[in-house]
Every structure is written in C-alpha cells, then in structure tokens.
Amino acid sequence: ALAIELQFDEAHSFSEGLASVATEGRRGYIDGTGDWIIELPVGTLSRAESSAFSEGLATVWRGELAGYMDTNGKMAIEPQFYGATRFCEGLAAVRLEPGGPWGYIDRDGVLLIQPQYYGVEPFRDGLARVHLADQPDTFAYIDKTGKVIWQGE
C-alpha cells in the first residue's frame, strides 16, 4: 500500500519531515501523511537540487533570486542571491552576482566569507572544499572564517 497516494506531478525526497511537491497550479511542501504544510506563493519556486530542508531552512527562488524559507513557510532570508546551496554546519554558499564567485552566509543571511571561490562544497567537520578564484584548477580546504587550511597543487 502507498503511504501517500499518487497525486503530484513532481515530488522530492523527505528532509526534516517535509518533501517538496508540485501539482498543476500548486507548489510547496507536504508532511509524511501527504498533507500540505507549506504552499508557496505564486512566482516562488523550490528547485529540485536545493529544495530539501537542511538545518531548518530550504532554498527557494523568486525569478532569478534565491533566498531561504523556514519550516513554517516564513522567509528567513529574502531572495537576493544568484546562487544558493543548502546549509551545513550553520553556513551556506551564495553568489551575489550572476556567474560570480561564491561566498558563505550564516543563518541570519550575514556574509561571513566574502565571495572569492569558483567552486564550493558544504562544510563538513569544520572545513569546506573550494576552488580558488585566482587558481580555478586548484582546490583548497577552508575553515569557517575563510582561512585556507590546506591547498592542493
């Protein structure tokens, strides 16, 4: 037997008890019983690659700009980024301009690490793997202050 009846045109994995779904004319998040918990306003999208909740926030898009919504459907960080990743260890990578370098914000939207990387990964165990802007073929590991801890050749 199905836990949730087949009723969605698009559905993604559950994360923190919610799953991003879409039907014709509706987009938002459901709980494990299939009940709509958050309905996104018209013009706001959750994208498959970043729509899962992580640390209580999900990336949502209004047009070309991304922001973060909490599990109650409230915008925690207004859309203002041209790229945005999920939060890990309290930080998320963002782009301030189209195609520009990546930096990192905290859960309040404060830019803690200035945009300077052309490839980023989430923080794990206090470190994130990044590609340095001035050496795009070289990667490094940075700490949560942006200090390079180790750099490859």
Side-chain angles (χ1 to χ4, degrees):
L2 293 174
I4 300 172
E5 291 298 317
L6 299 175
Q7 57 186 303
F8 304 107
D9 298 325
E10 183 181 318
H12 301 278
S13 299
F14 279 88
S15 177
E16 299 185 14
L18 299 172
S20 174
V21 297
T23 62
E24 193 170 321
R26 281 179 95 180
R27 182 173 287 276
Y29 292 83
I30 60 167
D31 65 13
T33 66
D35 289 338
W36 286 85
I37 302 302
I38 300 169
E39 188 160 352
L40 296 175
V42 174
T44 303
L45 299 175
S46 60
R47 294 187 179 168
E49 68 272 11
S50 58
S51 64
F53 279 91
S54 178
E55 298 185 7
L57 297 173
T59 308
V60 294
W61 295 80
R62 282 194 201 132
E64 296 289 318
L65 298 176
Y68 293 89
M69 176 183 64
D70 68 20
T71 55
N72 295 315
K74 179 180 177 255
M75 289 304 297
I77 302 171
E78 287 297 322
Q80 59 191 290
F81 308 111
Y82 288 93
T85 67
R86 65 187 170 91
F87 275 88
C88 288
E89 296 186 15
L91 298 176
V94 297
R95 274 188 163 152
L96 301 182
E97 55 189 59
W102 294 86
Y104 288 87
I105 60 169
D106 67 11
R107 292 177 46 84
D108 294 321
V110 175
L111 190 64
L112 295 183
I113 301 174
Q114 291 298 314
Q116 57 191 300
Y117 310 112
Y118 280 91
V120 292
E121 293 183 13
F123 275 89
R124 286 190 182 88
D125 299 321
L127 299 175
R129 183 179 174 183
V130 298
H131 288 270
L132 304 175
D134 58 346
Q135 303 169 36
D137 294 332
T138 302
F139 71 90
Y141 285 90
I142 60 169
D143 67 13
K144 291 184 179 183
T145 68
K147 179 182 175 189
V148 174
I149 301 301
W150 183 87
Q151 182 174 333
E153 296 183 21

